[in-house]
Amino acid sequence: MPKIGMEPLRRKALVDAALRVIADRGSLSVTMSDIARQAGVSPALAHHYFGSKEQLLIETVRSLLRQLRDDTVTALKAARTPRENLSAVIRVSFQADQFAPETIAAWLAFYAEAQRSEETRRFLVIYARRLRSNLLANLKKLCPPDAAGRIAEGAAAMIDGLYIRQSLKSAPINIEASIGLTEDYVTMQLRGIE
């Protein structure tokens, strides 16, 4: 008989375990058994909750996106001006849990998987659109629409690029330096159009 109330806890444990296993392997070539072992549950229980590895991986992407969305909403509530909103979006992109090695490894594995999986690709397109929209909405309050679009694309590219550089570990860039580089880019671009 399953314990009442355990399903949400076990589902979260499996998603967290999937992130750790993906990070360790550096790819999505993991099995349900690998993930279940990391979560401390049986493979049968993992299949019971998710049906398949693909569904567990999709839920892992959803979980990352939900966390990013929730953190962004919280950060935006604290900001008072469009420029503070931009800084909040940038800071959330690099906060400790988003910039953790296992999270970065998972994002990169999902980007690689998006070349084969339409569903994974769809989630990553959602991420890119949200990031651009959050940047663009505030930039449009600070500069003309064409400049806002260009600056938003550049800032989003910097954020994604700094993730890639961090994953290479050849020249790790810490959180504050990543925020600083992106903030400097936005500030210089805004100054250039004043």
Side-chain angles (χ1 to χ4, degrees):
M1 197 78 175
K3 293 181 184 173
I4 295 182
M6 288 301 291
E7 181 175 353
L9 298 174
R10 286 197 175 130
R11 288 176 68 85
K12 181 174 180 349
L14 285 161
V15 166
D16 292 345
L19 281 173
R20 287 190 302 275
V21 173
I22 291 165
D24 289 345
R25 296 268 171 87
S27 77
L28 298 183
S29 63
V30 298
T31 65
M32 278 293 250
S33 294
D34 297 331
I35 297 168
R37 188 177 315 110
Q38 179 71 38
V41 299
S42 72
L45 193 60
H47 280 284
H48 169 74
Y49 286 128
F50 290 100
S52 69
K53 179 183 95 168
E54 290 70 29
Q55 288 306 310
L56 173 53
L57 295 178
I58 292 299
E59 182 55 33
T60 304
V61 174
R62 280 188 182 128
S63 172
L64 289 170
L65 286 171
R66 268 193 307 271
Q67 184 64 50
L68 187 58
R69 180 201 61 216
D70 293 349
D71 292 346
T72 301
V73 167
T74 299
L76 289 173
K77 285 180 184 175
R80 294 178 300 277
T81 66
R83 186 61 181 94
E84 286 178 4
N85 283 342
L86 284 171
S87 292
V89 171
I90 292 166
R91 184 162 289 284
V92 165
S93 295
F94 295 112
Q95 68 187 9
D97 59 339
Q98 288 297 324
F99 215 51
E102 69 186 26
T103 306
I104 291 171
W107 277 114
L108 289 176
F110 289 126
Y111 271 103
E113 179 66 16
Q115 304 308 304
R116 294 181 295 277
S117 164
E118 187 59 35
E119 193 165 10
T120 302
R121 182 182 171 288
R122 185 172 63 82
F123 283 115
L124 293 175
V125 167
I126 289 169
Y127 154 73
R129 284 183 183 156
R130 272 190 200 157
L131 177 59
R132 185 176 190 284
S133 175
N134 284 326
L135 294 167
L136 191 58
N138 293 291
L139 283 163
K140 282 182 175 178
K141 296 172 185 171
L142 299 170
C143 61
D146 60 326
R150 182 178 42 79
I151 297 168
E153 287 300 325
M158 282 192 76
I159 290 167
D160 291 343
L162 288 165
Y163 266 79
I164 291 169
R165 292 187 72 184
Q166 184 69 12
S167 74
L168 297 174
K169 296 178 185 141
S170 60
I173 300 169
N174 70 31
I175 291 170
E176 290 306 316
S178 297
I179 292 168
L181 282 170
T182 310
E183 286 281 357
D184 287 349
Y185 168 78
V186 170
T187 298
M188 289 177 66
Q189 293 297 312
L190 288 171
R191 252 188 229 142
I193 56 170
E194 291 176 345

